Amino acid sequence: CLGEGETALLELCDRVYGNQSFNDIQGLWVKDGKTVHKNKVAKLHDINELPFLDFSIFDEDMFYRPMQGKLYKMVSIETARGCPYQCTYCTSPQLKNLSLAKRGESYYRNIKIEKVIEQINYQIKQHSPEFIFFTTETFLAMSDKDFDLFIEGYKKIGLPFWIQTRFETITEDRIRKLKEAGMFWLTLGVEHGDEQFRKNILKRTYSNDLAVKCIKALKNCDMG
């Protein structure tokens, strides 16, 4: 499957169930005997139109994850797909390049904050989690307007949460607001201490000074 699979997988299941050929499904490369059918990459989804994830078929144990020496019942929430950055070791730039090369579309897309909050409330109602894990690769790569909407909406939820982000997206003001809203843990990747190695090999262009500044900001907010 090249690119995203929601539509391709659904169509594959329908074809198999109907005992039909699936050699021409967009987004799939299918081997049929000695022939490989290399179908075009499917059109990217409007992620605001996708249904909420259905975890109901999974065992209850799937929800439990370790966090700071304890196990919490967590649900995973997506707020964006892809990433605006170009790290050489990550799949997101490759998926971005694939979509741009094939259809001229932007792989990096944000889910409307209103739908994010609705999605969280839905999963809480369905599974009663103790903790929220935001799977988005760079959670804080959002506008100030969306950030404020998130803080306003999440304060009403009242569960601790965990995010992943980058130094370029951090300010002390944002960290304080996130902590007030319930942020328990934040994951950052330094990757390497040498600026030139990061810049030239990893395509991570932030400075060591910025990293130190952000770490101090986290410490000032009791998050370091």
Side-chain angles (χ1 to χ4, degrees):
C1 182
L2 300 180
E4 298 177 344
E6 282 100 341
T7 300
L9 182 59
L10 177 61
E11 190 169 356
L12 174 63
C13 291
D14 286 341
R15 297 276 191 98
V16 171
Y17 184 76
N19 197 29
Q20 299 172 316
S21 170
F22 45 82
N23 290 340
D24 61 342
I25 296 176
Q26 282 195 341
L28 296 185
W29 284 17
V30 182
K31 186 174 183 180
D32 182 11
K34 294 184 178 181
T35 302
V36 177
H37 301 272
K38 298 182 179 181
N39 299 300
K40 294 180 180 179
V41 176
K43 181 177 174 61
L44 291 176
H45 309 288
D46 179 349
I47 56 176
N48 283 287
E49 297 299 322
L50 293 175
F52 299 143
L53 293 178
D54 181 3
F55 299 122
S56 62
I57 66 171
F58 296 105
D59 189 89
E60 180 81 3
D61 292 344
M62 187 209 74
F63 293 100
Y64 287 88
R65 299 187 183 187
M67 171 57 65
Q68 292 295 290
K70 296 182 179 180
L71 284 176
Y72 292 96
K73 186 178 181 182
M74 297 189 190
V75 293
S76 301
I77 300 292
E78 183 181 44
T79 65
R81 188 166 294 184
C83 176
Y85 298 95
Q86 297 293 309
C87 302
T88 55
Y89 51 84
C90 183
T91 58
S92 283
Q94 301 307 315
L95 290 167
K96 177 181 177 180
N97 293 338
L98 182 66
S99 61
L100 286 172
K102 300 298 183 182
R103 289 186 176 271
E105 299 169 308
S106 174
Y107 180 70
Y108 176 59
R109 291 150 292 155
N110 288 285
I111 298 175
K112 294 176 182 178
I113 297 300
E114 295 85 354
K115 182 163 184 178
V116 171
I117 299 300
E118 184 183 350
Q119 179 186 179
I120 295 169
N121 285 319
Y122 171 82
Q123 297 296 358
I124 289 173
K125 183 177 180 180
Q126 295 296 313
H127 303 293
S128 303
E130 306 168 279
F131 213 108
I132 301 295
F133 169 46
F134 290 102
T135 60
T136 308
E137 288 124 320
T138 310
F139 181 84
L140 290 178
M142 62 174 71
S143 68
D144 289 339
K145 179 181 178 181
D146 280 351
F147 178 80
D148 290 339
L149 285 172
F150 171 78
I151 294 298
E152 181 183 349
Y154 199 90
K155 280 184 175 179
K156 301 173 185 177
I157 291 171
L159 289 179
F161 63 92
W162 167 24
I163 68 170
Q164 308 169 99
T165 197
R166 287 176 57 121
F167 290 115
E168 296 94 326
T169 67
I170 288 177
T171 66
E172 188 166 329
D173 180 62
R174 278 188 165 193
I175 296 303
R176 290 192 185 280
K177 288 178 179 178
L178 286 165
K179 188 174 180 183
E180 289 172 3
M183 182 174 70
F184 180 85
W185 196 247
L186 178 151
T187 305
L188 287 162
V190 176
E191 309 303 341
H192 202 284
D194 186 290
E195 285 186 21
Q196 292 305 309
F197 182 88
R198 286 200 308 266
K199 179 179 179 180
N200 297 326
I201 304 301
L202 305 181
K203 304 302 180 187
R204 291 178 68 96
T205 58
Y206 67 87
S207 66
N208 285 346
D209 287 342
L210 177 63
V212 171
K213 179 182 177 181
C214 291
I215 291 169
K216 286 181 178 178
L218 291 170
K219 187 174 181 180
N220 290 340
C221 299
D222 294 324
M223 290 298 299

